[in-house]
Amino acid sequence: MSSDCRFVDLSNSLESVPVLIEQRSSVLTFPQFQYSPDNVQGPGCTLDPSEVTLPGCSCLSHSCSSESCSCLQTHGQAYSSTHTLLHRTHSGFCSPVFECNALCSCGDACSNRVVQRGLTLKLEVYSTEKRGWGVRTLKSIPKGTFVCEYAGEVISFEEARRRQLAQRAEDNNYIIAVREHAGEGSVTETFVDPARVGNVGRFLNHSCQPNLLMQPVRVHSVVPRLALFAGRSIDAQEELTFDYSGGYRNRAPAQRDAETQRDAETQRDAETQRDAETQRDAETQRDAETQRDAGTQSETQSDNHGVQRKECHCGAKSCVQFLPLDLSIISGKR
């Protein structure tokens, strides 16, 4: 390690544990932004995320239970007794999470208080080989553990669109749009941009096979916090990633190994079949691909409203080659 290398706390002591970042001449330019552990009210946002707007329970016990807690009875139990996220999906969609809040009578040790406790894990922001800054964990993380928030400015749809249209090709897009469906025709939209004000979550890279999953969690306010939980057990020194489109596709290591073996066998069978194809078919396929390649640029420009999609370098076997792009913001169609 060079003598000019030093680690600093990216959060400036705003988190309960330091967020380490390596600062030296040989790594990327040190990021310039205002660190905030929580969401802040941005342009166009009519609600202050820090304002307490949700009702509280009257529980006096050490930890709330579904038999007596009005919060759990209304919204259901989201966490286990060890504060890990329970599997809560319905028809492929995650159920909303409501934690006990500042108006609740229960104590800080309540099992329904998780995200509000803030960062408790030792994370490091580091320079990756191909994807700029990234985040890795310095200790192993059990499945279901809360890792960090994706915090930033909560902005309006109009402001999100203005910012995206103003971006240059080399700029990073940090805006996350979360749409929650509550009944027929009822959609709640939240737009979070940590480019100027944000936390460690702004450095998380995308992966088509991530180890984190995003879950909107409401604590004190109706404005959700975009919480990231471990979707599987994560090893120390492993990079932390999530799917920018909001999905989660991953498997346990044993299952991945079994599927990898099946994929290898399937690939060998497919290659054998391909070897038996005629030269004419191969040339026809190449001609078709050449024709598609010739029209790719104009088609991409038309479909993406003039915005060039950025390549994905996650390295996953299931990689779709491009980073997710939410065209509804750019087009103005919701």
Side-chain angles (χ1 to χ4, degrees), residues 150-199:
Y150 192 86
E153 290 182 286
V154 182
I155 57 179
S156 65
F157 172 83
E158 292 74 19
E159 178 65 14
R161 184 169 186 267
R162 186 193 70 79
R163 292 186 181 187
Q164 282 206 357
L165 290 175
Q167 287 176 357
R168 298 168 298 180
E170 65 271 19
D171 291 338
N172 291 321
N173 175 38
Y174 293 96
I175 299 174
I176 290 288
V178 174
R179 295 175 178 87
E180 298 174 279
H181 299 261
E184 187 175 354
S186 177
V187 180
T188 300
E189 294 182 316
T190 305
F191 302 91
V192 176
D193 184 8
R196 304 169 184 173
V197 181
N199 70 338

Side-chain angles (χ1 to χ4, degrees), residues 206-207 244 309-313 320-325:
H206 164 82
S207 176
Y244 287 178
R309 296 195 64 180
K310 296 184 178 181
E311 291 186 13
C312 177
H313 299 285
V320 297
Q321 307 305 320
F322 291 98
L323 294 177
L325 178 64

